[in-house]
Structure formats: C-alpha cells, structure tokens
Amino acid sequence: MLVLEGVDVFYGRIQALHGLNLHVDDGEIVTLIGCNGAGKSTTLRTISGLLRPRRGGVTFDGKDLAALPPNRIVQLGLSHVPEGRRIFTNLTVRENLDMGAYLVRDPKARRERLDRVFALFPRLEERMDQPGGTLSGGEQQMLAIGRALMSRPRMLLLDEPSLGIAPILVKEIFDEIARINREEGTTILLVEQNANLALHRATRGYVLETGRIVLEDDTKNLLQNPQVKEAYLG
Amino acid sequence: MSGELLFWLNLLVTVGIYTLLAVSLNLINGHAGMFHLGHHGFWALGAYAATWLTLNAASLPGPLLYVLSLLLAMAVAAIGGLTIGIPCLRLRGDYLAIATLGFGEIVRIAVQNSPHDFLGGSLGTKVPRVLMEVTRTTQVPFRFLTLAIVAVACAAAILVFRNFLRSLPGRRLLAVAQDETAAGLLGIDPTRSKVLAFVMGSAVAGLAGGLYAHYMGGINPLNFNFMEMVKMFLVIVLGGMGSLSGCVIGAFLVVATEQLLNRAPEAIASWWQVLFPLILALMIVFRPQGIFGRKEITDMIRAWRRSPA
Ligand SMILES: Nc1ncnc2c1ncn2[C@@H]1O[C@H](COP(=O)(O)OP(=O)(O)OP(=O)(O)O)[C@@H](O)[C@H]1O
Ligand SMILES: [Mg+2]
C-alpha cells in the first residue's frame, strides 16, 4: 500500500534519512521506533508531502507522492497526525473536527463521520463547544486523531501519540488506535518512543537509528531481540 | 455654526471610510494573519476605477452611475487582489510585506507618472458630482447623504465579514492562520483560503476608494501614499488585530486626532506625521493585541452584563 524506496532527505546540507526502505501493507499496524533525532518524524513528513526526498521514491497504492502538496496527498486517503498534536486552539472541538472533514462534501456523510469519532472518543462529544486550547493534553491528542479520522482515511500516520500524556490515558488512546484499525480497517503507521507499548500493539516494526533502518521484523521477534531489549525496552 | 457642523460631518464620513479600510485590512492582517502592507494600493485602484467610469459614462443617470462606479471599484480592486494575491500569498512574513508594499507604491507611482490626460496623472483629477449637485449651500445635505451611505456600507461590510468568519470557509481561514501546516495536512488548501480573504479585503478597500472619490469630488495620487497605510495599520493595531468592532473605535481615534490637530496652528498640525508612527511603534511594543484584542464589543457587553456589578 505504502512503499518508500531508497529515500534520502536533507535539511539544508544535513542528511536526515539515508536510503530508507519501508513498506506498509493494507490493514497492518506498523511501528517505527527509534531514539530522539533518529528521523522518525522526518519519515512521516516525507510521506505526507511536508518534505521532499532528494533521492528515492514514495508511492501510495502505486501513485507517486513526490510531486504532490500535502493537501493533495490527504485526498488520496493518507492522513498525518503530526507530532505535538497541533490542534486549532482558538476553534471549538466541533470546529476542529469540521476542519478535518474538509474533503467530505456530503453533509450526511459528515454527520456519520462525526458520530463515529464521538463513538470512539466520547470525551470529545462532552466537550464539543469548548475551545480546543482548553482541553487536557490527552484530550487534545484524541481531538487530533479524531480530526484526522473525519476524512475517513485508509491510512493513518501517527507521530508519538503518547507524548506528554499520563500513562493511563496513553493506554486508552492506544486501545482506540487498535480499534480504529480493527473496526474501520484503517492501516496505521505508528511512530513511537514508547517502544514497549508500540511493539505490543503493532504487527511489524522498524528500528531507525540516525536516519537508517537497522532492523525490520515482526513485533514478536523484535520484542525478543536482545539488541532491541537493551536499547529500547530496558 | 454651519462650519462646525461641516467639520464634524466631514470627520464622521472620514471615520466611515477608514473603518471600511480597517475592517478589510483586519480581515487580511488580523484574521488571516498575513503581513500585508499594500492596502493603500487597493484603495487607490477603487478610487481611480470609480473616477474613470464617472468621467466616461456621463450620460447615465447620476444615482445609477454612482452605484455602478462603486461596483466597478470593488471589481477592479478584487481583480487586483487576485492578480497579486496568487503569486504573493505563497510568500511568508517579511517577504509578503515587502511584495505587497511594493504593489501599493507601484499603483501610486504608475498614476503619478501617467500623462495628464489619463486620469489627471500627477495633477490629479476632478470627479464629476453624480449623487447630487454640490454647492456651498448644499454641502450639509451632501455630507449627511454621504455619511448615511458610508454608514450603510460599513454596517454591510462588518456584517458580511462577521458572517463569513463564522462560516465554514471562515473557520478554515482561521485554521490556516493559526497553523498552515496542520491545515494543509487536513486537505485544506492554504493558498486558496488566503487568496479568498485577500480578494474580499481588497474589494472592500476598493469600495472605500469609490466612496472616497465621490465624496472628495477630486483625487490625486498623493492621497494614496504610504502614510495612509500607516494610518490604517494604526487603526487596526489600536482597535485590535482580529476585532471588527474595534476598527470603528480605532478609526475614530485616528481620524479625530488627525483632524483636530489639523485645526491647530501649522507648527503643531504637522506633528501627526510623527505622532502616528510613534503611537504605532509604542502599541506594537507594549500592547500588540490592541485595545480590544480579538474581542468584539458585543462580547464585552455580554461579559459586563454577566459579571456581578
Ligand atoms: N527543520 C529542521 N531543520 C534542520 N534539521 C532538522 C529539522 N528537523 C529535524 N532536523 C534534524 O533531523 C534529524 C531527525 O529529526 P526528526 O525530527 O525526524 O527526529 P525524530 O526521530 O522524530 O525525533 P523525536 O523522537 O525527538 O521526535 C535530527 O537530527 C534533527 O535535528
Ligand atoms: Mg519526532
């Protein structure tokens, strides 16, 4: 479904990704783990069109993404929940969700999507008319995910949904992510520093170190891998 | 007596015209968060478009010509906004400010350097009276009539902008202004949202230009110099970036200060040229959210009613 082949990405003269190969198949939950600065966010930004690879190709269902701006890539059914949530703090919860439904023209379909998001995150419905900026960190993360789901994407890119959130809420959010995958059939690429949690939810994983993939395997095996245990699970 | 009345009528009409300029500038700079410094260019485009039609369609009945010339003023300014908006709005921050400032100055300089038989060139041109005959004795009713028209235009512009900002496309604009990247990741085309705001804002500045040309009965390229942009900017900074009703109060403060100073002896009068940029700088340093911030007057009345006395 999503394929990255030999992708090199630069920030000015600094190379952040080195010949990255990665693929995600329909229906999977794949996780990308790595330390601070490994290039996880850079990988997601490259997929969603915020950054351009200097070499290599990115395709989604065989379509080349390299020349498309972010707002066109979303239209193909690929939705990116960026690092740090970035909800619209001065718009209400409801309006934030409406922004996510920009591509859904039919009002009935919008309503259905909204009901679906409220079913997944009932807290959002309770806080519907509150400005997004007044939500707690965990609720803001739910809003960011809910907002991305409004367009009914076929694939969701999630950048550290656990960042800065109380452990109990993190578990709740990860449960919902698994449920989105199961019930909506949404394919998920999950970037996490919390490797333990991510590896328990995903089917396959990649380990990224300084812009290079160093390991790729089923999460079962990665969880047993002594290298991974020492560096990421210890 | 009549002199005093004329002074205050003139002041209020001018407040109305600056209100139109400020609400439209505020849509672009305050709500859409773009650093646009060429609003005087759209104002000039509107004034010259209205003047051109008035000079060239003299056979039409006066009131019809008045209305048509205002519509043309809006259309020409809107097309101007679209033409410079599409390439410029991809620029950010300071670059956008420089590009739009360039546009504003080019409009004025182009007219200034035109031959005198084209809209007066640097000499300026008279605008034939079409609304009613204006003589010494009919000045008062003419100013009252203009004030009524300008007031209606201000109310209409504020209402349209307010409803726009509450609509889905308006919310989209606020989203783009707050976080363009996040908006883009939701499928929103940021450039499109910004161009829409830019075109709406320039159309209303064009309307202000048309009203101004008919009111003054004559225009000159120097009416639309950069000092006017400074004044508009001061109005929205005083009134609050992102507050529509704040614009009315900001416009009153700026225009009243200028006109009252103008009555003072020459030595004092010209000081507004120093005073305005100074206030602007002080406001930006000490109270960048303006007197009203993003709030509307209606919000404040509601809050004041709710709070125990
Ligand atoms: N805008 C930028 N300009 C220059 N360098 C950048 C920029 N963004 C990221 N980098 C660099 O690129 C590398 C990868 O950064 P990236 O944000 O992808 O890391 P990450 O794996 O997401 O880390 P974290 O877990 O801290 O979010 C880092 O060395 C970082 O310093
Ligand atoms: Mg990151």
Side-chain angles (χ1 to χ4, degrees):
Chain A
M1 191 176 199
L2 177 75
V3 181
L4 277 76
E5 269 183 314
V7 170
D8 284 357
V9 175
F10 289 75
Y11 289 106
R13 267 196 247 140
I14 303 159
Q15 184 162 7
L17 297 180
H18 300 263
L20 200 81
N21 293 311
L22 179 151
H23 68 99
V24 182
D25 297 328
D26 207 351
E28 278 190 303
I29 301 184
V30 172
T31 185
L32 184 60
I33 59 176
C35 303
N36 286 106
K40 305 179 298 294
S41 299
T42 304
T43 306
L44 296 194
R45 286 190 211 120
T46 307
I47 299 169
S48 61
L50 295 173
L51 294 171
R52 301 264 160 249
R54 188 170 295 177
R55 270 183 295 276
V58 183
T59 58
F60 183 61
D61 284 340
K63 262 194 220 72
D64 186 8
L65 300 185
L68 297 178
N71 58 304
R72 297 289 306 282
I73 291 175
V74 194
Q75 287 175 15
L76 302 174
L78 190 68
S79 220
H80 178 180
V81 181
E83 190 170 13
R85 310 185 270 271
R86 303 177 78 154
I87 57 159
F88 305 118
T89 49
N90 52 3
L91 300 187
T92 66
V93 168
R94 172 69 205 265
E95 287 168 343
N96 266 278
L97 293 172
D98 279 338
M99 292 301 111
Y102 173 60
L103 298 168
V104 187
R105 299 265 174 234
D106 173 30
K108 226 182 86 198
R110 289 176 96 98
R111 185 69 234 179
E112 273 170 24
R113 289 311 297 161
L114 195 65
D115 289 341
R116 183 68 193 134
V117 169
F118 285 155
L120 286 165
F121 301 111
R123 283 157 183 263
L124 294 182
E125 186 163 21
E126 291 161 25
R127 289 163 178 70
M128 196 154 78
D129 298 316
Q130 219 168 293
T134 64
L135 299 182
S136 76
E139 290 161 355
Q140 290 192 9
Q141 187 62 59
M142 295 177 186
L143 180 56
I145 297 173
R147 188 176 67 176
L149 286 175
M150 287 296 290
S151 62
R152 202 182 174 116
R154 287 179 300 129
M155 181 165 176
L156 204 53
L157 310 175
L158 295 169
D159 198 342
E160 300 205 38
S162 71
L163 198 73
I165 295 175
I168 181 150
L169 263 185
V170 170
K171 199 182 160 302
E172 190 180 326
I173 287 173
F174 273 73
D175 286 342
E176 292 313 324
I177 293 170
R179 194 168 149 208
I180 292 160
N181 171 258
R182 209 169 47 239
E183 293 178 9
E184 310 244 312
T186 313
T187 307
I188 287 167
L189 177 56
L190 173 65
V191 158
E192 259 303 333
Q193 279 202 53
N194 189 334
N196 195 15
L197 205 55
L199 289 173
H200 278 100
R201 302 294 169 142
T203 43
R204 271 192 317 120
Y206 290 86
V207 179
L208 195 63
E209 269 172 24
T210 55
R212 293 184 178 81
I213 301 279
V214 293
L215 269 174
E216 169 194 356
D217 211 335
D218 285 346
T219 46
K220 288 197 296 291
N221 303 334
L222 286 177
L223 281 165
Q224 304 306 323
N225 185 307
Q227 250 176 293
V228 174
K229 269 188 176 165
E230 165 149 20
Y232 301 100
L233 302 174
Chain B
M1 175 59 223
S2 158
E4 197 65 8
L5 181 61
L6 283 175
F7 172 81
W8 286 101
L9 281 172
N10 178 56
L11 190 144
L12 291 177
V13 170
T14 314
V15 168
I17 286 168
Y18 276 89
T19 299
L20 284 172
L21 292 170
V23 288
S24 53
L25 182 67
N26 212 350
L27 183 75
I28 300 171
N29 287 34
H31 297 100
M34 297 181 260
F35 199 1
H36 160 51
L37 285 181
H39 219 45
H40 54 307
F42 297 120
W43 187 26
L45 278 185
Y48 274 96
T51 302
W52 177 82
L53 190 72
T54 309
L55 287 168
N56 287 286
S59 56
L60 291 175
L64 176 67
L65 186 50
Y66 188 82
V67 172
L68 286 181
S69 69
L70 293 182
L71 291 176
L72 184 72
M74 291 178 78
V76 168
I79 292 167
L82 190 67
T83 317
I84 80 145
I86 289 173
C88 284
L89 295 184
R90 293 178 195 279
L91 303 175
R92 266 153 231 254
D94 306 347
Y95 296 101
L96 177 65
I98 292 165
T100 51
L101 170 60
F103 161 78
E105 291 297 283
I106 283 167
V107 172
R108 178 177 60 77
I109 293 166
V111 179
Q112 240 169 348
N113 290 304
S114 306
H116 293 164
D117 52 5
F118 177 74
L119 294 169
S122 61
L123 298 176
T125 173
K126 269 189 172 316
V127 184
R129 297 297 191 180
V130 290
L131 197 55
M132 59 181 276
E133 220 177 311
V134 183
T135 62
R136 193 177 289 262
T137 51
T138 59
Q139 268 295 345
V140 170
F142 171 69
R143 290 190 184 187
F144 264 116
L145 180 60
T146 306
L147 179 59
I149 294 168
V150 169
V152 169
C154 285
I158 290 177
L159 210 67
V160 167
F161 284 170
R162 195 193 64 162
N163 287 342
F164 167 72
L165 289 168
R166 290 180 182 175
S167 73
L168 219 48
R171 291 305 189 203
R172 216 174 284 148
L173 178 68
L174 297 183
V176 169
Q178 197 193 337
D179 190 337
E180 199 172 321
T181 305
L185 288 177
L186 298 172
I188 297 172
D189 181 348
T191 306
R192 206 160 122 181
S193 265
K194 291 198 279 186
V195 168
L196 177 65
F198 205 68
V199 168
M200 287 176 68
S202 43
V204 170
L207 174 65
L211 289 166
Y212 179 76
H214 283 297
Y215 174 63
M216 298 301 284
I219 53 171
N220 181 303
L222 290 177
N223 296 141
F224 309 101
N225 63 27
F226 186 66
M227 194 60 203
E228 295 301 320
M229 183 66 226
V230 173
K231 272 155 68 182
M232 290 179 225
F233 211 84
L234 182 58
V235 170
I236 64 170
V237 169
L238 282 172
M241 291 272 193
S243 165
L244 292 173
S245 41
C247 288
V248 185
I249 291 161
F252 187 85
L253 290 176
V254 169
V255 172
T257 308
E258 182 184 3
Q259 302 220 343
L260 288 169
L261 271 179
N262 269 337
R263 289 177 134 189
E266 181 94 37
I268 301 175
S270 51
W271 276 91
W272 67 263
Q273 300 232 14
V274 179
L275 188 64
F276 283 176
L278 186 69
I279 299 175
L280 183 57
L282 289 176
M283 281 295 292
I284 288 172
V285 172
F286 293 109
R287 197 172 160 82
Q289 73 274 37
I291 297 173
F292 291 99
R294 282 193 167 267
K295 292 198 193 74
E296 296 297 341
I297 288 197
T298 44
D299 300 335
M300 284 189 250
I301 294 172
R302 235 176 282 136
W304 175 70
R305 280 213 185 125
R306 247 186 274 125
S307 69

